[in-house]
Amino acid sequence: MNNFKGKKILLIICGGIAAYKSLEIIRLLKKNGSFVKTILTKNAKKFITPLSVASLSQEKVYSDLFDHKNESEMDHISLSRWSDLILIAPATANTIAKISYGMADDLASTIVLAANKNIFLAPAMNVRMWEHISNKENIKKLKNFGYKIIGPEIGDMACGEFGEGKMTEPQSILNFLNNYFESTKKKNKYKALVTAGPTHEYIDPVRYISNRSSGKQGYEIAKSLKKNGFDTTLISGPTNLEPIPEVNLIKVRSAEEMYNATLENLPVDVAIFSAAVSDYKVKNKENEKIKKKDFMNLNLEKNPDILANISKHNSLRPKIVIGFAAETNNLNKNSKKKLSEKNCDWIIANNVSDKSIGFDSDFNEVSIFYKNNSIEKIPKMKKSLLADQIVSKVIYYLN
Ligand code: PMT
């Protein structure tokens, strides 16, 4: 089945002898109905010309990071946002190394770093380069980031040697991408729900109690679910974050509103509870602003535990329920306790006493506690990347 019709492919061509095969990739993608925008690295231009690429793709060819004309038309961010996926073919050892270290010294590497789309690499290089320990480490890193590696194949190389390192043939690369689009269509049947941000529990019309949370981690998870084809609902407490295109955003203020919105949006296949829900609410909320006094006592009562209630729901429990645990001490013990008491499948625990991760930061470092008692430590990384890792584990679990 042809899944390419109307798809927008951003093709990055690096400087290797296999670059000539990328012309065939463009030809096949166009023949199958895709739109193709292309980026040539500086070295790629030594192997193929922008004119031949432009003629085949019927599009402008991008190359320079600081090209004022192109930047005003389509900058490195818009190029990634335009695409349905990014394909790097051929991916040279140099580009693989650069993106595994997060470098951004040309248009191609900057786009990859700024990308919010799935990235596919078709490596091509000499067998010794492919087998070099540093290249192997870089590939391993990229796989962990969730990048998909196509090939390389074993065979005779342009340099006269034989071994693994040949770029996968264009038609096989297209077959790989076609399967990916097919699986995305299947994933579309999956529904996801994410809670994010804090809740505000009002004392009077002016004052409230709350928990710390910017919502960043939950929004990144919703973004990644959407990117991977899930029909996604995001139930968000008050945050300063922008809505995510094509994600059903439901804004709430209190824990009770969050709980009701969650119930109204079931059933789903996966529910991920990253919100920092206030455990307590004020028992007798005043309708008018309370006048200042020397002392004031607040009478609090417990809020519904959204995660525990959904996780223990008789008929509406999602196939996979994932909670978070924000801990300042005894991370292991408290997380295991939450896993069992809240009946979750996984608890994702972060140590929020570390100021460089957790609340507000763009980074997080977590341990995943699974129902089968195993624990997986995930190193410090951007919340967006962690979101991708969590979502690829969810996809694996659901399939
Ligand atoms: O929002 P950011 O600034 O990006 O920060 C991310 C984060 C630190 C808030 C996030 O990674 C995180 O840890 N979220 C959970 C925070 C929390 O309240 O943890 P908890 O240990 O108190 O709660 C455990 C679990 O129960 C959580 O999944 C929570 O959403 C859920 N819960 C708690 C209380 C309640 N009444 N209802 C719930 O659903």
Side-chain angles (χ1 to χ4, degrees), residues 5-72:
K5 204 162 180 342
K7 290 287 187 314
K8 297 179 200 140
I9 314 287
L10 185 60
L11 174 65
I12 297 176
I13 305 177
C14 306
I17 186 69
Y20 77 93
K21 289 191 191 171
S22 305
L23 298 176
E24 177 65 0
I25 296 177
I26 300 171
R27 195 188 70 76
L28 289 171
L29 286 170
K30 294 291 292 178
K31 191 175 142 210
N32 282 293
S34 291
F35 300 99
V36 186
K37 288 193 192 289
T38 317
I39 292 142
L40 289 185
T41 65
K42 199 166 105 229
N43 287 334
K45 285 195 264 182
K46 296 183 181 146
F47 292 89
I48 50 173
T49 67
L51 183 60
S52 49
V53 173
S55 309
L56 280 166
S57 65
Q58 293 155 354
E59 290 271 0
K60 190 170 290 179
V61 175
Y62 298 82
S63 194
D64 298 322
L65 186 52
F66 299 110
D67 174 343
H68 294 298
K69 197 154 162 270
N70 278 347
E71 278 284 316
S72 59

Side-chain angles (χ1 to χ4, degrees), residues 97-108:
K98 282 205 304 195
I99 59 183
S100 89
Y101 281 92
M103 288 173 68
D105 64 347
D106 62 1
L107 182 61

Side-chain angles (χ1 to χ4, degrees), residues 69-355:
K69 197 154 162 270
N70 278 347
E71 278 284 316
S72 59
E73 286 168 22
M74 200 159 238
D75 60 25
H76 56 285
I77 305 287
S78 335
L79 275 168
S80 141
R81 302 299 177 264
W82 168 85
S83 67
D84 290 311
L85 66 77
I86 299 175
L87 169 65
I88 310 177
T92 55
N94 180 48
T95 295
I96 287 168
K98 282 205 304 195
I99 59 183
S100 89
Y101 281 92
M103 288 173 68
D105 64 347
D106 62 1
L107 182 61
S109 51
T110 307
I111 281 175
V112 172
L113 200 61
N116 62 346
K117 298 292 155 53
N118 278 316
I119 296 174
F120 295 74
L121 293 99
M125 64 195 75
N126 168 273
V127 55
R128 300 257 171 266
M129 290 168 85
W130 174 250
E131 283 172 357
H132 196 284
I133 180 90
S134 60
N135 183 59
K136 288 280 177 218
E137 283 296 315
N138 291 333
I139 290 284
K140 196 167 138 199
K141 250 169 96 181
L142 294 187
K143 281 186 181 163
N144 277 336
F145 292 169
Y147 295 7
K148 321 267 182 307
I149 313 292
I150 310 172
E153 313 300 328
I154 298 172
D156 289 317
M157 319 207 122
C159 57
E161 293 188 11
F162 179 87
E164 195 173 10
K166 264 172 83 82
M167 186 169 97
T168 301
E169 288 305 319
Q171 185 57 59
S172 303
I173 292 178
L174 258 79
N175 293 346
F176 194 98
L177 299 183
N178 195 43
N179 288 344
Y180 160 75
F181 283 130
E182 190 65 32
S183 70
T184 307
K185 272 201 309 201
K186 277 195 204 132
K187 267 180 254 150
N188 259 334
K189 71 178 192 299
Y190 288 130
K191 288 183 84 178
L193 181 146
V194 181
T195 68
T199 63
H200 289 177
E201 310 299 331
Y202 276 81
I203 300 167
D204 64 19
V206 178
R207 308 172 178 101
Y208 57 78
I209 54 171
S210 186
N211 277 5
R212 271 184 76 188
S213 168
S214 65
K216 284 179 186 171
Q217 185 63 80
Y219 274 60
E220 289 299 343
I221 292 171
K223 221 180 269 175
S224 182
L225 285 161
K226 176 67 221 157
K227 181 172 81 177
N228 281 284
F230 285 76
D231 179 359
T232 307
T233 295
L234 172 62
I235 300 173
S236 170
T239 72
N240 293 321
L241 302 174
E242 291 295 317
I244 306 162
E246 295 173 63
V247 165
N248 174 27
L249 174 66
I250 298 171
K251 289 196 158 193
V252 295
R253 290 197 298 191
S254 65
E256 216 157 272
E257 284 174 21
M258 188 174 272
Y259 182 43
N260 290 335
T262 304
L263 278 173
E264 279 161 21
N265 282 280
L266 294 178
V268 294
D269 298 285
V270 53
I272 305 182
F273 295 88
S274 71
V277 185
S278 179
D279 287 313
Y280 296 93
K281 65 179 172 195
V282 179
K283 198 160 181 189
N284 299 309
K285 186 187 134 191
E286 297 291 338
N287 290 328
E288 287 176 4
K289 187 178 173 190
I290 301 167
K291 290 282 163 258
K292 225 182 280 174
K293 306 171 206 161
D294 284 344
F295 295 101
M296 191 169 130
N297 287 320
L298 283 180
N299 199 356
L300 301 178
E301 64 183 343
K302 266 189 140 175
N303 260 325
D305 190 316
I306 308 168
L307 167 61
N309 283 332
I310 302 303
S311 210
K312 291 173 187 172
H313 203 288
N314 283 332
S315 52
L316 290 173
R317 188 190 196 278
K319 290 191 189 98
I320 170 163
V321 176
I322 303 173
F324 269 77
E327 304 296 340
T328 53
N329 58 317
N330 290 333
L331 187 109
N332 276 25
K333 190 167 154 241
N334 293 337
S335 305
K336 282 181 189 161
K337 194 161 172 259
K338 280 182 185 156
L339 180 72
S340 90
E341 282 181 0
K342 299 195 184 219
N343 194 34
C344 305
D345 296 294
W346 313 346
I347 279 281
I348 303 177
N350 32 209
N351 179 351
V352 287
S353 65
D354 178 344
K355 291 194 172 49

